[in-house]
Amino acid sequence: MNKNSIKESIDKIDPGKDVRDKMYKNILSKSHRMATPKRRFNPQKLSYPIAAVACVCLIIVCAMHFIPDKNIPSYPDFSNDSDNTGTDELAFAPSPYVEVDDASAYESIGVSIDAPEAADEVTYYIYDTDIACIDFTLDKQSYQLMASRKDGDFSGCTGSVISSEQIDSRYNAIMYIMDTGIKLNWSDGSAQFYLTSQDNSNSDSVKKVFSSIISNR
C-alpha cells in the first residue's frame, strides 16, 4: 500500500478535513512501524557480560584460596627456638625397651639369666631399666624369659588362672595354667624369674625349657 492509494481511500470517506488529516497521519505511522524490521536477539552479545562475570568469580575464588583463614590454627614455628623448648614438646617418649647384645648386659641390673642353648631367634633387651627380658623360640614354640630383683608380677601374662602346680621345690617353681597361656614363676633368693608361653596346652614343653634354663646356672 502506497501513499496515494491510502489518500484516495480516505478521500472517499470524507469525514471532514481535520479528521481526514488525522486518519492519514495515523495510517502512515502504522505503515512505517510495519515496514521497520524487528531487532533480532543476538546471543553473541549476551556472552560478553557472562564471560566477564565468570572471570570476576574466578578471581574471587583464587583470592580466597591464598588468603589465610584466621580461624584455622597454625603450627608453632620452632625454627628460631634456641633453647629447644619447642622440640621437647613435640618429642616422643622414649621406648621402655632397650635392646642389648647378649646376657652379659644383665650384670648391670644384678641378675644372671640366659636362653636355653638350643633356642633360636634369641633377642636380648632390658625393660623399664631393671627387668631382663629374653625372647626366643624352641621347637617352633615362642617363649619369653624375664628376671628382676623387683617385687610383684612383672611377667605381663594376665588372665584367669585355670590351675597351678609346683614343679620344683628348690626354686619354689610354680606353673600357672591360664586362659591366656602359661606362666611359670620361680626365685633363686635374690631375684625372681618368669617364663611365659601363649600356648596353655604346652605345659610339658614349658617344664623342659625350665629344666634347661636352671641347668645352665
Side-chain angles (χ1 to χ4, degrees):
M1 180 180 292
N2 53 38
K3 295 182 179 180
N4 293 330
S5 59
I6 293 173
K7 193 172 187 307
E8 290 175 359
S9 299
I10 295 174
D11 291 340
K12 290 180 181 181
I13 298 174
D14 196 17
K17 186 175 183 307
D18 294 337
V19 176
R20 186 170 60 249
D21 290 340
K22 187 176 182 179
M23 292 175 61
Y24 176 69
K25 291 179 180 180
N26 290 337
I27 293 173
L28 286 177
S29 177
K30 185 175 181 181
S31 176
H32 176 73
R33 288 196 302 268
M34 293 177 63
T36 302
K38 294 183 179 180
R39 185 175 298 175
R40 294 183 179 181
F41 171 72
N42 189 354
Q44 186 176 4
K45 293 183 178 180
L46 183 61
S47 63
Y48 297 122
I50 292 176
V53 173
C55 290
V56 173
C57 293
L58 181 60
I59 294 172
I60 294 173
V61 171
C62 293
M64 292 177 65
H65 177 73
F66 289 103
I67 296 176
D69 190 348
K70 294 182 179 180
N71 295 325
I72 300 176
S74 59
Y75 292 100
D77 183 10
F78 297 128
S79 58
N80 296 323
D81 191 4
S82 59
D83 57 358
N84 293 325
T85 56
T87 53
D88 290 341
E89 293 178 0
L90 296 179
F92 291 102
S95 172
Y97 294 92
V98 177
E99 188 169 350
V100 294
D101 294 332
D102 52 40
S104 63
Y106 301 143
E107 295 178 1
S108 62
I109 58 176
V111 296
S112 177
I113 191 176
D114 204 345
E117 294 181 357
D120 297 319
E121 302 176 7
V122 183
T123 302
Y124 300 92
Y125 54 95
I126 296 176
Y127 175 74
D128 200 20
T129 71
D130 59 358
I131 301 176
C133 301
I134 305 175
D135 291 339
F136 63 94
T137 61
L138 188 62
D139 297 330
K140 300 181 180 180
Q141 178 67 36
S142 297
Y143 298 92
Q144 184 177 64
L145 178 60
M146 308 176 76
S148 179
R149 288 180 173 270
K150 67 187 302 181
D151 297 328
D153 187 349
F154 50 83
S155 67
C157 184
T158 59
S160 300
V161 177
I162 299 174
S163 63
S164 62
E165 175 187 1
Q166 185 179 33
I167 62 172
D168 185 89
S169 59
R170 177 185 175 187
Y171 293 101
N172 191 26
I174 300 176
M175 184 173 64
Y176 300 90
I177 307 297
M178 310 179 68
D179 57 358
T180 55
I182 295 178
K183 175 173 63 177
L184 202 161
N185 171 237
W186 73 94
S187 175
D188 63 359
S190 61
Q192 62 171 334
F193 304 81
Y194 283 96
L195 176 65
T196 60
S197 172
Q198 294 182 351
D199 185 2
N200 58 10
S201 64
N202 195 31
S203 59
D204 291 338
S205 297
V206 172
K207 291 177 182 179
K208 291 179 180 179
V209 172
F210 167 72
S211 298
S212 178
I213 292 172
I214 61 174
S215 66
N216 292 333
R217 295 180 60 85

